[in-house]
Amino acid sequence: MNGPLIVQSDRTLLLEVDHADAERCRSAIAAFAELETAPEHVHTYRVTPLALWNASAAGIDAETVVDALSRWSRFPVPPSVFVDVADTMARYGRLVLEQAEATPEGSGAPAGSLVLRAVALEDLPVLEEVARAKAVAPFITARLGPIALAVPAAERGRIKQALIKLGWPCDDQAGHREGAACPLQLQATDLRPYQEGAVTSFVASGSGVVVLPCGAGKTIVGAAAMAKIGAQTLILVTNTLAARQWRRELLDRTTLGPEEIGEYSGERKDIRPVTIATYQVLITRRKGEYPHLALFSALDWGLVIYDEVHLLPAPVFRMTAEIQSRRRLGLTATLVREDGRESDVFSLIGPKRFDAPWRDIEAQGWIAPAQCVEVRVTLTADERMAYALAEPDVAYRVGSTAASKMGVVERVLARHPGEPTLVIGQYIDQLERLASRLGAPLITGKTPNREREILFARFRQGEVGLLVVSKVANFSIDLPEATVGVQVSGTFGSRQEEAQRLGRILRPKRDGRQAWFYAVVSRDTNDQTFAANRQRFLAEQGYAYEIVDAVDL
Amino acid sequence: MGVADHLRSLGEDGLAALLRERPVLLEHCATLSELAYFLEAPYAVNEALCHTNAFEHAAAEVIAALGPVRPAEMAVALGLEGDAPEVDEAITRLERLLLAERLPDDLIAPARGVTDHMGHPLDLGRPLTAMISQFDAGAVRRAAQLLGLPKTGNKAALTAAVSGALSDPDTVRRALAGGPRGTEELVDRLLGAVMVDVGYGRPPPTVAWLLEHLMLVRAYPYGGPAELVREVALARRGPVLRVVAHSPPTLTGRAVRDFDASASHRSAAVVPLLASVVDVLGAEPARAIQSGELGVRDLKRLAKAADTDEATAGRLLEMARSAGLVGTSVTVVSPEPRRGTRWQAAPAPVVEWLPTTRYDAWIELEPGRRWAELAAAWLDTRAWPSRAGARGESGKISPAFSPHGDAADAPRLRRVLLGLLAGLGAGQAGDVTELACALAWHQFRCRAWGITDSVTVTEGVLAEAELLGIVAGGALSTLGRALLEDGEAAALTAGRMLPAPVREILVQADLTAIATGPLERDVAEELSSMAEVESRGVATIWRFSESSIRRALDHGATPDRMLGFLDEHASKGIPQPLRYVINDAARRHGRLRVAAAACVVTSDDPALLAEVRAARKTAKLKLRELAPTVLASPLPSDSVLLTLRTAGFLPAEERADGHISLVRPERRRASAQGGQVPRARPAVDVVPLARRLLKERPVKAGPADGRAAFAAFADLLGGDPYDEDDSDEAAWWITEADDITQPAYRSPHELLAKAAGTGAEVALISSEGRNGTEVVGTVAMLTEATVVIRNTNGRQKAIALNSILSIWEEP
């Protein structure tokens, strides 16, 4: 007994990364445990019910999980963990949702119903239990046999949601519609091995989520999936810029022509065989209705791609519940949602089909290694006083936009002359002052899309070396050559935002240069307190982290 | 033969065997006469019966009901063949327990005292001769006449004659046939019940007939319960009187996978878990509730702090108490006398549960020995650990350390159960119901069955054993087997199986420290002083934060000492952010200073003070500026400190001499003896004792014998002979109480009488209400037991004098 793993009774797994067997152990446990934190010495995984069901969906049985735990564990595994694993995994797939072969005459089930069936006669109590649950009972239209119930096809998503809430996730074998054909091919691009793996396991299973870090090429995974399926595709992205970028990538990397790709956003409403729509336009409400809901049935989509699944807004979940007969591919950097709706992702988009830990991909050289530095700025007496006397609701703003930061940002930039740099902030007036002081272009939410695109293009081509951007930079714009990020103010320490910002500068560098991420914080203010949360997140993700005083730069 | 003679006839080996078999006798063998006297007491007879199994018990009943009796007759009564060897074995065993004796002519008789104290053997009433005082000579003469016997002779002779007639089944059958219709059926119905209520007034003809024939005898002359005489019952019941299995029920085993791995996990987990519960208790002792127990609120607090549930925390606490790791401390707190107080009731002593000095020694032991001591204490404890923290029938959680929890049989029941599991073979688990049945057969009669049942006991014992790793998945572990052998073997086995403690930790940039195994206590304590435990298990995770470092600084740590400690134990070095955070907190720590005396908040930094004053969270401190660098608050320093910390500052407390005050957590301990739960007695070498007892010369009943008898009697009155003598504690308590009684003692009545005379206003506190009720006014009326106080509004209130806690005169 000298394994790299320690199994705690609270179902966390501690993996000692310097152990000789650490990597073999990691690949064994990654299938059924979610990586929670990955600091330098000990990585923490958690065995959650969803993680176990993800494993069950991937065909892994409880025996394999128990064996993996016993094999790699350094100490005897708490017996309760084994019991929990077996019990939890046994709950998946006891019920199956499938197409009715033929609706028996006189059963009362409307034509085209789906069948919710217990897998075996022993599972009848499970079926009876869920059939009596308040959340499921209204969907049942008829009894088709001793262990089969008829349910309306339209309620497929809601039934799956209800079942997972009851703790009996069903195996959705009702299949998918092929959708209208839309043949396309990838241009001669070599898929990286992990991208290949992600596409293969998605196509084999129909619907599900692929987890890849920012910069690891999620778009290309999406394009490859489209090529394999060859059907009309609806792509849902976070905002217009991301939509344009998808369009550009698809044009560059596939045989699709400009006339085949439509944009459905606040500005344009084109519906083409491949349509890229923003979440924003889908969730726009007019008189309590969602006027753009029809998009989902506008064409016979054979595939729906959800970009940044962890940001999927609640109304889109509801819409997704309606289109369960279409193939769905979720792309994300993390399954963790700030709102805790991970189970909706599982039941409505599908189980996790592929996952690659950030650090592994980084080690393979696909994303730049990053060094994080927190720079603490000592405020002047006047600034301290201004902060001290500020009302609590503006104290954070006063602290984080202190003028002393200006000089520090200049000193940080002086450390990286000639390197493409982004200065990122929350407060517009602070960014405006910075931009004019640094003589750099500024991009905020007010900047027209056209102008933004021009600026980003010039940045990519190296004509502009420094950009000052507000939180519009957080999502899905591609700034491949940024090697330095400087954050001057943030939103109260959200871990998700931190991942996004870091993602900006983690795109692969042509020459393998080191990426730098600086956070400039005001000492002894709540800016520093919030920075501590972000530090924890980054350190947990395994990034080198350092705290320095501004004077020591 | 008297009991003393019988004991002497046993010889040295026989007497030693008896003492070994029944350890309770060790408490009563100052002299052989005392032992003899005690053996006849009801307590001793019951105690002896507790050592019998179901079959032996039935045999004892047969002997008590029919004795003197031949073994062959016994076998028949027990439903066996006449020469069944089981019967002879049972007789030998009963003889060894002094419950039966062999008379000449192969007759077996109950030992002295057994017949009197056995109650109703075989559910039979008493023989007619034993009920002679319940009827008069006329009644027995009439019965003799009705049964066709000669009606001459005195009452005793007539009773013997009637008894003889009723013992003959034919006579009884003939007589019953002559009774009113239904008499026979009535008698047969009564066979299963000892007593029957015949009511008052004129009984129905069948009952009247039975009473007349002295087949049924009333307890009182005019009605109420009546008893079916034993002779009739035996005549009607036939030869077989009780059928009991003469061997225990067979058990089926179920193979358990990895039982030793589970057990070793549990045994490794239980010691730190118990230590964390006891440590929480040490940090804040639990005040005993009125009954002396550790209340549910404290139980919940301990469970929460140790990250476990109440049932587990309750079990652990009971085990800790059994091992002498937790005990009580009694303090008498003199109340602060109020100004002008003239009389005050003696305050109730404060009883607190807290770790003992023994705990400090125990925690330093090596892990295997620590576990073995705990497990041995559990095996022998006379408490039921599973009762504490469990939900009772009412759904309420039971408190821990219940004084009603003492169960003398518990150690024996535990050993029998574990023995049954051992008999199943390695890695074989038993079925709870089967085990419970077997337990009930082996321990047919024990006091525990009066308050619980064998299934509850079995479940409780198994759950406790699982917690300790003695049993895993229902199977006895290797550790458990070693424990049943002896403590030393258990300690060695546990030492081999438990993970070795480590001294090294991994410190990471996300400000966590991880011990990848059980951490040595001194390292763990030091680490806990500067970081919070975030996750417990075999591995422990600590998290550093500004507040945890601040706490360490408050306790006197310096950044150099903290970093030095981490340098020594962090095997992969200290990450830069942690080094920075510690130094930064030290830099900020103490920039604000709080003086307790005047409660002044000072700082060299006026902006910081301005920030303090402006902060919304400090408004309640009513801070005012004394100088740009000094603020003052009317509130006590501790609440000022707390509020400032809550508001996010890092103040330090300053002593009057200008230095920063260092707060160390106080460590309190109970004496190792305080509040101990009795344990099964340690093994005594009984052979020399038996030799000494037999050396005594036989004496006729005399003064010495009388004293011994008195001592034995006193023991009986004292209830539980196991109880330690707590007279020392009582004496100490009286002294303390005397100390606080003021010399010029005047009773409340006197004081109130004086106030009534002068018309002065008095104030008093009576024990009504939760915290006492205060009443102020003049005395309107005063009796021996009550006083009526009229307040300024003219309202009157009557108060019982015995409820008054204190009286003082209003100025």
Side-chain angles (χ1 to χ4, degrees), chain B residues 714-730:
Chain B
D715 273 334
L716 286 175
L717 285 182
D720 194 337
Y722 285 103
D723 264 353
E724 295 290 323
D725 182 10
D726 56 2
S727 56
D728 279 355
E729 196 173 86

PDB file of all heavy atoms in Angstrom, chain B residues 714-730:
ATOM      1  N   ALA B 714     -26.060  -3.529  54.318  1.00  0.00           N
ATOM      2  CA  ALA B 714     -25.825  -2.142  53.924  1.00  0.00           C
ATOM      3  C   ALA B 714     -25.508  -2.074  52.433  1.00  0.00           C
ATOM      4  O   ALA B 714     -25.954  -1.179  51.725  1.00  0.00           O
ATOM      5  CB  ALA B 714     -24.670  -1.562  54.737  1.00  0.00           C
ATOM      6  N   ASP B 715     -24.752  -3.042  51.977  1.00  0.00           N
ATOM      7  CA  ASP B 715     -24.425  -3.072  50.553  1.00  0.00           C
ATOM      8  C   ASP B 715     -25.675  -3.196  49.710  1.00  0.00           C
ATOM      9  O   ASP B 715     -25.816  -2.553  48.677  1.00  0.00           O
ATOM     10  CB  ASP B 715     -23.503  -4.254  50.240  1.00  0.00           C
ATOM     11  CG  ASP B 715     -22.055  -3.860  50.448  1.00  0.00           C
ATOM     12  OD1 ASP B 715     -21.779  -2.652  50.339  1.00  0.00           O
ATOM     13  OD2 ASP B 715     -21.249  -4.751  50.714  1.00  0.00           O
ATOM     14  N   LEU B 716     -26.568  -4.051  50.211  1.00  0.00           N
ATOM     15  CA  LEU B 716     -27.805  -4.244  49.461  1.00  0.00           C
ATOM     16  C   LEU B 716     -28.588  -2.945  49.389  1.00  0.00           C
ATOM     17  O   LEU B 716     -29.108  -2.557  48.366  1.00  0.00           O
ATOM     18  CB  LEU B 716     -28.671  -5.312  50.135  1.00  0.00           C
ATOM     19  CG  LEU B 716     -28.171  -6.730  49.962  1.00  0.00           C
ATOM     20  CD1 LEU B 716     -29.049  -7.662  50.774  1.00  0.00           C
ATOM     21  CD2 LEU B 716     -28.203  -7.102  48.492  1.00  0.00           C
ATOM     22  N   LEU B 717     -28.662  -2.277  50.577  1.00  0.00           N
ATOM     23  CA  LEU B 717     -29.411  -1.028  50.614  1.00  0.00           C
ATOM     24  C   LEU B 717     -28.762  -0.004  49.692  1.00  0.00           C
ATOM     25  O   LEU B 717     -29.434   0.797  49.055  1.00  0.00           O
ATOM     26  CB  LEU B 717     -29.417  -0.469  52.032  1.00  0.00           C
ATOM     27  CG  LEU B 717     -30.336  -1.187  53.008  1.00  0.00           C
ATOM     28  CD1 LEU B 717     -30.272  -0.495  54.345  1.00  0.00           C
ATOM     29  CD2 LEU B 717     -31.753  -1.211  52.484  1.00  0.00           C
ATOM     30  N   GLY B 718     -27.456  -0.070  49.668  1.00  0.00           N
ATOM     31  CA  GLY B 718     -26.712   0.885  48.840  1.00  0.00           C
ATOM     32  C   GLY B 718     -27.006   0.703  47.374  1.00  0.00           C
ATOM     33  O   GLY B 718     -26.580   1.492  46.563  1.00  0.00           O
ATOM     34  N   GLY B 719     -27.762  -0.346  47.070  1.00  0.00           N
ATOM     35  CA  GLY B 719     -28.134  -0.525  45.670  1.00  0.00           C
ATOM     36  C   GLY B 719     -26.998  -1.179  44.914  1.00  0.00           C
ATOM     37  O   GLY B 719     -26.766  -2.359  45.063  1.00  0.00           O
ATOM     38  N   ASP B 720     -26.274  -0.404  44.180  1.00  0.00           N
ATOM     39  CA  ASP B 720     -25.300  -0.988  43.275  1.00  0.00           C
ATOM     40  C   ASP B 720     -23.979  -1.227  43.993  1.00  0.00           C
ATOM     41  O   ASP B 720     -23.302  -0.295  44.388  1.00  0.00           O
ATOM     42  CB  ASP B 720     -25.074  -0.042  42.106  1.00  0.00           C
ATOM     43  CG  ASP B 720     -24.342  -0.758  41.007  1.00  0.00           C
ATOM     44  OD1 ASP B 720     -23.669  -1.754  41.289  1.00  0.00           O
ATOM     45  OD2 ASP B 720     -24.466  -0.313  39.871  1.00  0.00           O
ATOM     46  N   PRO B 721     -23.612  -2.477  44.174  1.00  0.00           N
ATOM     47  CA  PRO B 721     -22.372  -2.749  44.876  1.00  0.00           C
ATOM     48  C   PRO B 721     -21.133  -2.341  44.094  1.00  0.00           C
ATOM     49  O   PRO B 721     -20.050  -2.329  44.631  1.00  0.00           O
ATOM     50  CB  PRO B 721     -22.417  -4.259  45.075  1.00  0.00           C
ATOM     51  CG  PRO B 721     -23.302  -4.768  44.013  1.00  0.00           C
ATOM     52  CD  PRO B 721     -24.285  -3.691  43.739  1.00  0.00           C
ATOM     53  N   TYR B 722     -21.308  -1.962  42.830  1.00  0.00           N
ATOM     54  CA  TYR B 722     -20.136  -1.567  42.040  1.00  0.00           C
ATOM     55  C   TYR B 722     -19.728  -0.135  42.347  1.00  0.00           C
ATOM     56  O   TYR B 722     -18.621   0.267  42.065  1.00  0.00           O
ATOM     57  CB  TYR B 722     -20.436  -1.642  40.538  1.00  0.00           C
ATOM     58  CG  TYR B 722     -20.475  -3.025  39.995  1.00  0.00           C
ATOM     59  CD1 TYR B 722     -21.680  -3.648  39.718  1.00  0.00           C
ATOM     60  CD2 TYR B 722     -19.288  -3.698  39.747  1.00  0.00           C
ATOM     61  CE1 TYR B 722     -21.705  -4.921  39.200  1.00  0.00           C
ATOM     62  CE2 TYR B 722     -19.320  -4.974  39.221  1.00  0.00           C
ATOM     63  CZ  TYR B 722     -20.525  -5.590  38.951  1.00  0.00           C
ATOM     64  OH  TYR B 722     -20.551  -6.827  38.420  1.00  0.00           O
ATOM     65  N   ASP B 723     -20.693   0.653  42.829  1.00  0.00           N
ATOM     66  CA  ASP B 723     -20.447   2.091  42.964  1.00  0.00           C
ATOM     67  C   ASP B 723     -19.213   2.392  43.787  1.00  0.00           C
ATOM     68  O   ASP B 723     -19.005   1.826  44.849  1.00  0.00           O
ATOM     69  CB  ASP B 723     -21.666   2.766  43.605  1.00  0.00           C
ATOM     70  CG  ASP B 723     -22.560   3.330  42.532  1.00  0.00           C
ATOM     71  OD1 ASP B 723     -22.158   3.299  41.348  1.00  0.00           O
ATOM     72  OD2 ASP B 723     -23.638   3.797  42.881  1.00  0.00           O
ATOM     73  N   GLU B 724     -18.409   3.309  43.280  1.00  0.00           N
ATOM     74  CA  GLU B 724     -17.249   3.751  44.039  1.00  0.00           C
ATOM     75  C   GLU B 724     -17.753   4.575  45.221  1.00  0.00           C
ATOM     76  O   GLU B 724     -18.795   5.206  45.158  1.00  0.00           O
ATOM     77  CB  GLU B 724     -16.368   4.633  43.143  1.00  0.00           C
ATOM     78  CG  GLU B 724     -15.757   3.898  41.972  1.00  0.00           C
ATOM     79  CD  GLU B 724     -14.690   2.917  42.413  1.00  0.00           C
ATOM     80  OE1 GLU B 724     -13.960   3.238  43.365  1.00  0.00           O
ATOM     81  OE2 GLU B 724     -14.608   1.816  41.839  1.00  0.00           O
ATOM     82  N   ASP B 725     -16.961   4.586  46.260  1.00  0.00           N
ATOM     83  CA  ASP B 725     -17.323   5.404  47.412  1.00  0.00           C
ATOM     84  C   ASP B 725     -17.027   6.852  47.070  1.00  0.00           C
ATOM     85  O   ASP B 725     -15.890   7.219  46.771  1.00  0.00           O
ATOM     86  CB  ASP B 725     -16.484   4.956  48.610  1.00  0.00           C
ATOM     87  CG  ASP B 725     -16.846   5.740  49.851  1.00  0.00           C
ATOM     88  OD1 ASP B 725     -17.856   6.461  49.793  1.00  0.00           O
ATOM     89  OD2 ASP B 725     -16.123   5.621  50.844  1.00  0.00           O
ATOM     90  N   ASP B 726     -18.065   7.674  47.090  1.00  0.00           N
ATOM     91  CA  ASP B 726     -17.815   9.067  46.731  1.00  0.00           C
ATOM     92  C   ASP B 726     -17.922   9.980  47.953  1.00  0.00           C
ATOM     93  O   ASP B 726     -18.197  11.141  47.844  1.00  0.00           O
ATOM     94  CB  ASP B 726     -18.771   9.515  45.621  1.00  0.00           C
ATOM     95  CG  ASP B 726     -20.216   9.314  45.994  1.00  0.00           C
ATOM     96  OD1 ASP B 726     -20.452   8.852  47.136  1.00  0.00           O
ATOM     97  OD2 ASP B 726     -21.080   9.618  45.186  1.00  0.00           O
ATOM     98  N   SER B 727     -17.681   9.398  49.149  1.00  0.00           N
ATOM     99  CA  SER B 727     -17.854  10.194  50.351  1.00  0.00           C
ATOM    100  C   SER B 727     -16.835  11.330  50.409  1.00  0.00           C
ATOM    101  O   SER B 727     -17.097  12.374  50.953  1.00  0.00           O
ATOM    102  CB  SER B 727     -17.738   9.313  51.585  1.00  0.00           C
ATOM    103  OG  SER B 727     -16.500   8.646  51.531  1.00  0.00           O
ATOM    104  N   ASP B 728     -15.658  11.130  49.807  1.00  0.00           N
ATOM    105  CA  ASP B 728     -14.657  12.196  49.807  1.00  0.00           C
ATOM    106  C   ASP B 728     -15.203  13.440  49.150  1.00  0.00           C
ATOM    107  O   ASP B 728     -15.071  14.539  49.647  1.00  0.00           O
ATOM    108  CB  ASP B 728     -13.419  11.751  49.017  1.00  0.00           C
ATOM    109  CG  ASP B 728     -12.541  10.883  49.885  1.00  0.00           C
ATOM    110  OD1 ASP B 728     -12.877  10.749  51.083  1.00  0.00           O
ATOM    111  OD2 ASP B 728     -11.561  10.346  49.351  1.00  0.00           O
ATOM    112  N   GLU B 729     -15.827  13.207  48.019  1.00  0.00           N
ATOM    113  CA  GLU B 729     -16.347  14.332  47.266  1.00  0.00           C
ATOM    114  C   GLU B 729     -17.435  15.041  48.070  1.00  0.00           C
ATOM    115  O   GLU B 729     -17.461  16.253  48.153  1.00  0.00           O
ATOM    116  CB  GLU B 729     -16.916  13.830  45.945  1.00  0.00           C
ATOM    117  CG  GLU B 729     -17.119  14.921  44.955  1.00  0.00           C
ATOM    118  CD  GLU B 729     -17.510  14.345  43.608  1.00  0.00           C
ATOM    119  OE1 GLU B 729     -18.707  14.107  43.409  1.00  0.00           O
ATOM    120  OE2 GLU B 729     -16.626  14.145  42.788  1.00  0.00           O
ATOM    121  N   ALA B 730     -18.292  14.243  48.700  1.00  0.00           N
ATOM    122  CA  ALA B 730     -19.378  14.822  49.478  1.00  0.00           C
ATOM    123  C   ALA B 730     -18.810  15.675  50.609  1.00  0.00           C
ATOM    124  O   ALA B 730     -19.260  16.795  50.851  1.00  0.00           O
ATOM    125  CB  ALA B 730     -20.252  13.714  50.044  1.00  0.00           C
TER     126      ALA B 730
END
